[in-house]
Amino acid sequence: MLLEYYPTDQHQCHIDMGSYGWSALNIDYKWAQINPIKTKAGAANPIQDFRLESYDSETCSRGTGSEKCPCLRAIFTFQRESSATWRLITQIYLPNFLFVAVAGLTLFLRCSEMRTRLALAATTLLGTVLVGSLAMSSIPRGARLVYAWLNASYIFTGVALIWMLICAAWQETSESKYQRCQAEHQFLVEGVADGGPEKVVPRSKISVTGYIKAWLPGVIYFVIFAIFCFVNWSHAFNLL
């Protein structure tokens, strides 16, 4: 079975019926003109998680002339049930999607919330690994698209955690930059010398360029993740 497009895979099973001891001069096989293949009641779902989509008949005779061997072929097409698809979505795709999304959102948090960022990134990575390890027993080995999704989830959450560690190390060694990040959205209060009303002087706001630099890793993260989701889902669930 080719399981590359699991869980929306489709399979064809052939049954050949012929004679290899007698040639077409002695025996000949022909399909009935009307309803050559008959199915019994309940035969639409003979295999677990599959339904009989269609069936067809053809000839498969080999050789020519007096050496021709008669042969008939029945072709059965099986489609995996949609219940298997929904089970895979709820058990693997949806949890990992949420873990990867939360890991990406940590890239938009402020530098002063480094502990929160590290905790969320580490939790999402552990959750992704847990979902993948539990799902391995129920996924066939040939399901390359599902394994690609699991491996990509590990990579995305791992990259988010590594980026958090790099930011933490950079913040530790650069005290002045750390203080500027902590002072975000705060104001410097300066009192007037003669006891008059206090004057609130706001710190200089972060420029647009600063916000772009701070959010750029998160934007790149979600753009790459969106492209991967589109490619993987379009093949796995026949969206195209």
Side-chain angles (χ1 to χ4, degrees), residues 134-188:
L134 294 176
M136 288 297 181
S137 59
S138 60
I139 301 175
R141 292 186 177 182
R144 294 193 297 175
L145 292 173
V146 180
Y147 281 105
W149 172 260
L150 290 174
N151 293 331
S153 301
Y154 302 152
I155 292 174
F156 277 106
T157 53
V159 166
L161 179 59
I162 292 173
W163 180 254
M164 293 301 101
L165 295 175
I166 294 175
C167 290
W170 170 76
Q171 187 181 18
E172 186 77 18
T173 57
S174 181
E175 186 64 23
S176 59
K177 292 183 180 180
Y178 175 74
Q179 291 176 355
R180 283 200 296 270
C181 289
Q182 270 196 327
E184 222 175 287
H185 305 301
Q186 293 181 356
F187 297 93
L188 177 65

Side-chain angles (χ1 to χ4, degrees), residues 92-108 117 120-129 131-132 148-161 164 217-229 233:
I92 298 177
Y93 274 88
L94 182 59
N96 277 6
F97 177 83
L98 295 177
F99 282 133
V100 174
V102 172
L105 291 176
T106 60
L107 301 177
F108 293 96
R117 298 172 76 176
L120 284 175
T123 303
T124 54
L125 178 59
L126 292 176
T128 304
V129 173
V131 171
W149 172 260
L150 290 174
N151 293 331
S153 301
Y154 302 152
I155 292 174
F156 277 106
T157 53
V159 166
L161 179 59
M164 293 301 101
V219 173
I220 295 176
Y221 178 95
F222 276 105
V223 168
I224 297 176
F225 181 58
I227 294 174
F228 172 77
C229 288
W233 295 352

Side-chain angles (χ1 to χ4, degrees), residues 184-221:
E184 222 175 287
H185 305 301
Q186 293 181 356
F187 297 93
L188 177 65
V189 179
E190 295 181 354
V192 180
D194 57 357
E198 293 183 346
K199 181 181 180 181
V200 179
V201 180
R203 281 190 181 271
S204 57
K205 296 182 179 180
I206 299 177
S207 63
V208 176
T209 305
Y211 277 112
I212 292 176
K213 290 181 179 180
W215 291 349
L216 186 59
V219 173
I220 295 176
Y221 178 95

